[in-house]
Amino acid sequence: MKIAFYTLGCKVNQNETGALMQLFCENGFSLAAPTEEADVYVVNSCTVTSGGDKKSRQWLRRAKRQNPEAVTVLTGCYPQAFPEEAAGATEADVITGSKNRAHLLDDVLQFLQTRERIVDIAPHQQKDLFEELPMEALAGHTRAFMKIEDGCNRRCAYCVIPRARGNVRSRQEENVLKELAILSKAGYREVVFSGINLSSYGQDIQSSLWHIVQRASQIDGIERIRLGSLEPDLLDDYCIQQLAAVPELCPQFHLSLQSGCTATLRRMRRVYTTDEYRSVVQKLRKAFPSATFTTDIIVGFPGETDAEFAETIAFVHEIGFLKVHVFSYSRRFGTPAYDMPNQIDESIKAERNHILQKEADSVRRRIIEERKGQSVDVLLEKPVAKDRYTGYTKEYIPVLIHAPGHKQGEIVCAQLGSFDGERCLAIPLD
């Protein structure tokens, strides 16, 4: 049978989709081509914004129109956070949440036998452990993406993710290392650790993020370790010191910001100020001289004034982010921010989103152009023509390189050239 997947949201969702693909393919299914009709359609949903919920249901309706006899599946964060609402999604034959992912196969097989609708959303419990899923097949990837943490213990005013993902659960170190060894033997040189609150890794298993990074660096063949989104307040001096002792760690840090204004951060119930954020950046730059920083920012949070928005723009220029993901605030029922006064008009949110993204893009160009002439290591990721590849440096600078004699997945020393607005041209130095 043919199966198709549609994934919304973060790297964790993408990683879990890869695991589900492998699970189904190991049990008699095959992946449908993009233009091919499927027998089963699975949407792995994201519920960070209400727009994600809408996209999930639209895709399922489109799948039903394409093949009325197909099995349609809604899974992931949307049903987990809003089970009653998701259960009313008549466009889905099978509905599951973000817990017990492996059971999705049994639910689909059961529906194929009975044709009776299944709603199987298991609530999160305090005693839940990290759910082991089959290793992602990683087809077409030159970097290995590995989920090592799930859940979040924080309660930011705007965020519904704790409802969707439960409390912090860390993957056992030995399981991480065992999978890394397999990936290394398969030829992967870079691994990307991901999690819902990656900085909290180890809190429940007497470990820590820096400790698993150090152990991962000892796996033969692993030349790069990259980290997903991090909470700045959880990167204390000792953690930074221990991370800096790992030469394999990529000096690119995705430090969650959300606003460049302390007053806005307080309303968001974030646990740091802009001064504290700035201090962490300075410490990381001292420990990692070539460090780059990426982040997420929400515009239009309730009560955000023009002056507060201006502070965020100024902070983006000050820090010098390599890349900023800008989001317009989305009201999520059940969060404290949903009922906050001074909600911002959607047109103002859209305008601020456009303005901030434009400013962030100008900062990105400046940061990349300042590195022209530097020697860097480039992971050759996607062949685009004969001997030409796209790739990324350890600092996450996108590169286009002509590298005769090399192949996809290799790491090549190169010199950065001009930036065309999308990628930096690079010349091999070997």
Side-chain angles (χ1 to χ4, degrees), residues 315-386:
F315 197 71
V316 166
H317 281 274
E318 177 192 345
I319 297 299
F321 290 106
L322 176 67
K323 189 172 185 178
V324 178
H325 297 281
V326 182
F327 300 89
S328 296
Y329 167 69
S330 177
R331 294 179 75 182
R332 306 307 283 134
F333 181 77
T335 63
Y338 183 86
D339 296 315
M340 282 185 176
N342 302 315
Q343 298 283 333
I344 307 298
D345 186 85
E346 294 298 326
S347 63
I348 295 176
K349 293 180 189 178
E351 181 183 15
R352 289 179 180 173
N353 190 308
H354 175 75
I355 292 171
L356 182 57
Q357 192 63 71
K358 185 176 180 180
E359 294 289 334
D361 289 344
S362 71
V363 173
R364 174 178 173 80
R365 176 176 285 277
R366 170 174 64 83
I367 295 301
I368 293 178
E369 288 180 343
E370 286 175 354
R371 296 184 180 242
K372 184 176 181 180
Q374 291 185 0
S375 297
V376 294
D377 290 328
V378 179
L379 175 63
L380 305 182
E381 297 205 32
K382 183 179 180 180
V384 292
K386 181 175 172 56

Side-chain angles (χ1 to χ4, degrees), residues 1 29 70 81 87 158 178 258 261 363 365 391 425 430:
M1 300 189 76
F29 291 80
Y158 53 83
K178 180 180 178 180
Q258 309 308 347
C261 170
V363 173
R365 176 176 285 277
L425 298 178
D430 57 342

Side-chain angles (χ1 to χ4, degrees), residues 85 161 180 277 309 412:
E85 179 182 326
I161 293 303
L180 269 178
Y277 188 101
F309 177 60
V412 176

Side-chain angles (χ1 to χ4, degrees), residues 207-218 225 227 234-250 253 283-284 286-288:
S207 181
S208 65
L209 181 61
W210 65 260
H211 191 259
I212 189 59
V213 168
Q214 288 188 349
R215 293 197 68 188
S217 70
Q218 298 167 9
I225 301 170
L227 301 178
L234 294 179
L235 292 177
D236 58 31
D237 292 353
Y238 186 74
C239 178
I240 293 174
Q241 176 187 355
Q242 295 301 313
L243 289 175
V246 182
E248 292 83 2
L249 182 65
C250 292
F253 300 95
K283 291 174 182 177
L284 284 167
K286 184 176 180 180
F288 300 86

Side-chain angles (χ1 to χ4, degrees), residues 33 61 116 120 171-172 188 193 199 222 236 267 282 302 304 313 319 351 393 420 428:
R61 286 194 291 269
E116 294 181 1
D120 181 15
R171 190 177 188 188
Q172 292 293 332
Y188 292 96
F193 285 153
S199 307
I222 298 298
D236 58 31
R267 291 197 302 278
Q282 291 170 347
E304 183 185 60
I313 292 176
I319 297 299
E351 181 183 15
T393 70
D420 64 6

Side-chain angles (χ1 to χ4, degrees), residues 133-162:
L133 289 169
M135 182 182 64
E136 184 182 348
L138 301 169
H141 289 283
T142 52
R143 287 181 284 159
F145 292 85
M146 185 183 295
K147 173 187 165 186
I148 66 169
E149 185 274 340
D150 206 342
C152 183
N153 295 341
R154 300 198 163 184
R155 297 297 181 267
C156 299
Y158 53 83
C159 190
V160 75
I161 293 303

